[in-house]
Amino acid sequence: MRGEPMKVTIDQDRCVASGQCVTAAAEVFDQRDEDGIVVLLAAEPPAELAEDVREAAAVCPVLAIAVEE
């Protein structure tokens, strides 16, 4: 869907620091240095990153990433 921005939320309490989200979408996700827990860099990523963000959410082993479109 074009027009409406994608909204991304993360559940840091659920995160197990696998890093799969960073591998899939490094422009949107990062990890804290001290424990590897996910950090959201862009809550409303640009449309050109939408597929990468969907992939990141899909590969998260604990489903800590929610994508609203």
Side-chain angles (χ1 to χ4, degrees):
M1 296 183 86
R2 297 295 244 176
E4 287 296 312
M6 167 184 279
K7 292 189 181 181
V8 181
T9 56
I10 55 173
D11 183 344
Q12 288 184 326
D13 293 334
R14 182 177 268 199
C15 180
V16 294
S18 73
Q20 297 299 309
C21 57
V22 178
T23 301
E27 301 90 344
V28 180
F29 304 100
D30 199 358
Q31 291 177 280
R32 294 193 305 222
D33 290 337
E34 64 271 17
D35 58 9
I37 298 299
V38 65
V39 175
L40 185 60
L41 301 176
E44 294 185 9
E48 61 267 16
L49 297 178
E51 279 303 314
D52 292 345
V53 172
R54 287 186 203 105
E55 175 70 13
V59 299
C60 178
V62 293
L63 305 176
I65 302 167
V67 178
E68 184 180 319
E69 300 191 63

